[in-house]
Each structure stands twice: as structure tokens, then as C-alpha cells.
Amino acid sequence: MRLGRIASPDGVAFVSIEGVPGEMTAREIAEHPFGTPTFTGRSWPLADVRLLAPMLASKVVCVGKNYAAHIAEMGGDKGSAAADPVIFLKPNTAIIGPNVPIRLPANASPVHFEGELAAVISRPCKDVTADQAAGSILGYTIANDVTARDQQRSDGQWTRAKGHDTFCPVGPWIVTDVDPADLELRTDVNGEVKQRSRTSSMIHDVGAIVEWISAVMTLLPGDLILTGTPEGVGPIDDGDTVSVTVEGIGTLTNPVVRKGKS
């Protein structure tokens, strides 16, 4: 099932997105998409509505340094991966949906894209084991962990660099029946491939990540977990278009503008 959130002439709604590309329909879900969703009977052609970020998250928990080749390109040793996941937070105010502009701060350069697979939590969970993790996940979506690289380096920690408004594009929808173990992940900027890897190259898999995070903090329905980015990260600038594609899910596309421009 593909789950999403839309803005229609009738308001904002959670929906099930059905059909094939070019002929997709958004069926309105009553209340929320957790558990077994029920439907209101209303639907719209997907072309007639606007896709929003598919989930309202209380928090966005991210994993850093989860692909060895990315560690190396950032100046680390491929063998220096941490024994446990390295986690950090993005504020939920950074979340935007498909086709919404990533707005570059005037005082940040370079700003990098980081294409990632993201897991969406389905129920409150604390101290979940890796084996139990799948039962706590609603499904998977696509994210772009946009990062002001100069601020990351100068601050010595990552909150400001990764926390700007619009620095967490998510979408276009959540897929509930995809296996995250070995999916191709690709990022294109202006149609040129910049990242291409597979989730099987992650150092810590999704189960291990959920276990590690839930030992620290309670995860709530709708919370997002970004699972890390592979090698190939690089700058985006005013006028660019960045697209992240994950096999079995779809493509998340966002234009890039400098703040102060529309």
C-alpha cells in the first residue's frame, strides 16, 4: 500500500494512493493511516491534488556515518565506522513535501544533498529489539538530509547545519510492503546522477537502528528515521533540481532556491 497526505479542494487528508503512474487516485483515509485504515468514500485523481510530506512527525531521528564509502569521502577511514549507530535530530519544522523548494540560507555555502531511505514509525515503542523492529514500522519513504556543510564543520556539531527550515524533504509517499534490506538509492541533480548505491551497503541495518534509538528515546507514531546517506554527496545551488529515487518507493523531487527568492 502507498500512503500519503494531500491538500485537496476539501482540505488536508491522509490517503491511500492507488493505480499506475499517470492514472493514480487518492482515496481518503478516515482519521489516520496507522493500523488497518478505513476509508471515507471520497477520492480524487492524484493530478488534481497536491502531495504533502506524507507524515507529520514529532521528531526526525537521523543516522550519520552509516555507509563506509561516505565516511571515506568525508575524510574518515573506511574502517573507522562506529560500533554503534551515530544519531542526531532534525526539527520537524525542517520537513517539506515533494516539489516544495529547498531554501538555501544566505550565510551557508556549500549546502549539500544527502539522499536517504527513511522509516516511518507506526506505534509508540521503547526498548524495541532489532527482531521486533519491523512490527514498529509503518513503511518506508524517501528523504533528503540537506546539510550546510560549512556550518557543520565550523560548529563542531550538526544541529544548525541540518536544522534549517526546508532541510528535510520527505515523500512522495510511504510504501508499507517494501523490504528495506537491498534497495537501490540514487540521487540526481539537474538530471545528472550523483549518488548510486544500495541499502545493503548500510553498516547498521534498520532493525539495529530502531533498537539503538528506542533504547534512548520513545518513538511515536509518525516519527521519521533517516538511515544514512551513501557516497556522492555534493553541493546544490539556486536554480538546481534535486531528485532522490529509492527502488520500490518512487522519486522525491525538490527545486532549490536561495532565500528571498520565490
Side-chain angles (χ1 to χ4, degrees), residues 136-191:
S136 300
I137 293 172
L138 176 65
Y140 296 88
T141 187
I142 304 168
N144 187 349
D145 177 19
V146 182
T147 304
R149 198 66 74 196
D150 58 333
Q151 295 177 0
Q152 183 183 28
R153 290 170 178 149
S154 66
D155 291 358
Q157 50 83 25
W158 304 351
T159 303
R160 178 170 68 125
K162 292 175 175 285
H164 289 276
D165 289 354
T166 77
F167 271 27
C168 190
V170 180
W173 41 62
I174 300 160
V175 176
T176 62
D177 55 357
V178 67
D179 183 345
D182 186 26
L183 303 173
E184 184 183 67
L185 188 156
R186 189 184 79 240
T187 304
D188 301 78
V189 177
N190 302 327

Side-chain angles (χ1 to χ4, degrees), residues 102 104 111 113 189-190 235-242 254-257:
I102 298 167
L104 307 179
V111 174
F113 59 84
V189 177
N190 302 327
I236 48 177
D237 210 341
D238 184 44
D240 286 343
T241 299
V242 56
N254 297 89
V256 182
V257 301

